Amino acid sequence: MTAAATTRTRVGWWERLPVPARIAIVYGAARVVTTGFFLLASALSGPGSRYGVAPSLEKLALGWDAQWYWLAAVSGYPVDLPLAAGGHVAENAWAFMPLYSYLSAGLGFLLGSWGAGAVTISLAAGFGACLVLHSMLRDRIGDSAAMWAVVFFACGPLAALFQVGYAEALFLFFLFLALRCVQRRRWGWLYLLVPAMGFTRPGILAFALFLGLYGVYRFVRRRKDPLTTRDIAHLVALGGLSVVVGFAWQVIAGIVTGDPGAYLATELAWRRNWLGDSGRGFVPFDGFVEAAGFWFTRWGLGSVTGYVFLAMMVAAIGALLLFSPQVKRLGIEVRLWSASYLVYLLLVFFPQSSIFRLLVPISPLWGALAVPKSRAWRFGVLALALLGQWWWIYNMYALANTYWQIP
């Protein structure tokens, strides 16, 4: 048999496998690689790391924010807000939504520990997210490119989130299902998915903006793609539900604690770790502007350089979403969601080391990098993704000893 025939046989064997089986193989292999990275990080972890010398995989998986989700599950949410030395509200569990925390507790009851439940949910949700991502992209960029997008997603720089006690994987699963429902105009399921997303992780207000922009898009194109009364009713109702859910946790925190600003004060407690008491409180868009001045001054480049860089970044990302042929092939739903979520981050977030993790919800954009058919390109992207994953794990879990090594 010739080499070409052997290659065709191997490719044929792969393509004959059911899509879920192919994705399971990709996802399983990716998790083995991530586990190897964690083991290497453990071997490199020293006395200066917050994890100490040679921490176990369990200790690594349940570090950082996983401790807050665990605390919410075992102790609930504080009725009396804790105060820091300066008199302002200190970090506390109200910053972490309850669904992942309590689901992990329920499953952990069967498996023997909260951590076992949390990691199992993250692993399963990550696999589910891969399945839905492939379904979202296959009709737009083809089966091969969609599978490569899954490879990039499963092996990406933040792929460690599929193996730790963070809510991101579960949120991504719900989010991808919701975007797929919008693609197929299956509105009914969204009435369940919107609350599920909203009580898993912050970001549902971005989905409200997405639904609004999608409605405008459908209205503009109503002659080519009729906008039915049914679609209008669902988009208005779901947009309203997303807004209500988006503010519900703030209301709940205010009722339980007796402080209407409890949730916002809790979120701002993390910002004080970077700015101290010099922060001006919450002002929309102010976080990124403050951060541009803060970080570029810290790097010795001056605040003005930071402001110019921020403006250029916003313009470049906007142009990419509007005009890039590869991004346009992903469909209007992915483009509008990505734009909505990035606007949401601009509105509410102060960028610091967690910015990489907070960008994970725009993961459908991996599809744009999978569109070029060059094998060299695709393997090059994969190599960079894995290199980025190791860099992130090494810094956040092996070193974990300075202010910017916080996942």
Side-chain angles (χ1 to χ4, degrees):
M1 183 180 290
T2 65
T6 301
T7 301
R8 286 195 298 271
T9 300
R10 290 173 180 170
V11 171
W13 168 82
W14 175 254
E15 291 180 344
R16 284 194 297 271
L17 284 175
V19 168
R22 282 186 274 158
I23 292 176
I25 292 171
V26 166
Y27 187 71
R31 302 287 61 78
V32 169
V33 171
T34 299
T35 301
F37 286 161
F38 270 126
L39 290 171
L40 183 56
S42 173
L44 295 174
S45 181
S49 169
R50 72 179 271 131
Y51 289 103
V53 177
S56 66
L57 288 178
E58 179 184 10
K59 188 174 182 180
L60 293 175
L62 301 182
W64 298 113
D65 285 0
Q67 289 295 296
W68 286 109
Y69 288 110
W70 169 82
L71 183 65
V74 300
S75 302
Y77 293 88
V79 174
D80 299 314
L81 293 172
L83 299 179
H88 54 264
V89 173
E91 299 169 350
N92 65 84
W94 281 111
F96 300 88
M97 304 303 178
L99 185 58
Y100 176 75
S101 179
Y102 291 148
L103 285 178
S104 298
L107 183 59
F109 178 79
L110 300 176
L111 298 179
S113 70
W114 183 90
V119 173
T120 299
I121 288 174
S122 291
L123 281 168
F127 176 63
C130 288
L131 290 173
V132 184
L133 179 64
H134 183 274
S135 178
M136 285 171 54
L137 297 177
R138 179 179 52 199
D139 295 341
R140 310 303 169 98
I141 60 177
D143 179 74
S144 175
M147 187 60 68
W148 272 101
V150 169
V151 172
F152 299 156
F153 174 63
C155 298
L158 276 294
L161 293 172
F162 300 136
Q163 296 179 223
V164 297
Y166 274 58
E168 267 72 13
L170 185 61
F171 180 83
L172 289 175
F173 177 56
F174 291 147
L175 170 65
F176 292 176
L177 282 174
L179 291 174
R180 185 59 174 151
C181 285
V182 174
Q183 284 182 334
R184 302 184 67 186
R185 300 174 190 177
R186 301 288 181 85
W187 309 114
W189 287 105
L190 288 170
Y191 291 95
L192 298 175
L193 290 168
V194 164
M197 284 191 288
F199 288 101
T200 298
R201 178 188 177 279
I204 194 61
L205 290 176
F207 198 77
L209 176 59
F210 159 69
L211 290 173
L213 294 176
Y214 178 77
V216 171
Y217 171 81
R218 289 285 307 281
F219 178 78
V220 170
R221 298 187 73 255
R222 64 192 183 279
R223 292 183 179 177
K224 295 181 179 179
D225 181 8
L227 180 60
T228 66
T229 303
R230 173 180 174 273
D231 287 352
I232 294 172
H234 280 301
L235 285 169
V236 172
L238 288 165
L241 177 63
S242 299
V243 172
V244 170
V245 172
F247 287 102
W249 191 240
Q250 297 183 41
V251 173
I252 292 170
I255 292 172
V256 172
T257 63
D259 180 355
Y263 176 76
L264 185 58
T266 297
E267 288 288 0
L268 290 176
W270 267 267
R271 189 178 298 189
R272 286 192 179 91
N273 291 333
W274 304 93
L275 299 178
D277 292 328
S278 62
R280 297 191 290 270
F282 176 72
V283 178
F285 295 109
D286 192 49
F288 264 81
V289 175
E290 276 194 293
F294 173 81
W295 286 111
F296 277 76
T297 297
R298 199 174 187 90
W299 296 332
L301 300 173
S303 59
V304 174
T305 306
Y307 303 143
V308 172
F309 178 80
L310 175 61
M312 292 175 61
M313 282 293 294
V314 171
I317 293 171
L320 191 70
L321 293 175
L322 283 171
F323 304 117
S324 167
Q326 292 80 13
V327 174
K328 289 169 73 172
R329 284 192 58 183
L330 304 181
I332 193 63
E333 295 85 2
V334 169
R335 294 164 66 203
L336 288 180
W337 161 252
S338 300
S340 299
Y341 184 74
L342 291 172
V343 168
Y344 166 78
L345 286 185
L346 279 172
L347 274 166
V348 305
F349 186 59
F350 175 85
Q352 23 78 9
S353 59
S354 296
I355 186 65
F356 303 107
R357 175 171 57 84
L358 267 70
L359 288 172
V360 167
I362 61 171
S363 289
L365 291 177
W366 279 116
L369 293 176
V371 168
K373 295 182 179 181
S374 165
R375 181 172 296 183
W377 167 265
R378 287 172 169 174
F379 278 103
V381 172
L382 175 58
L384 289 175
L386 290 170
L387 181 63
Q389 184 183 158
W390 166 243
W391 179 88
W392 195 76
I393 291 174
Y394 173 68
N395 279 282
M396 306 303 173
Y397 291 93
L399 300 182
N401 57 9
T402 191
Y403 66 94
W404 60 268
Q405 290 166 336
I406 301 172

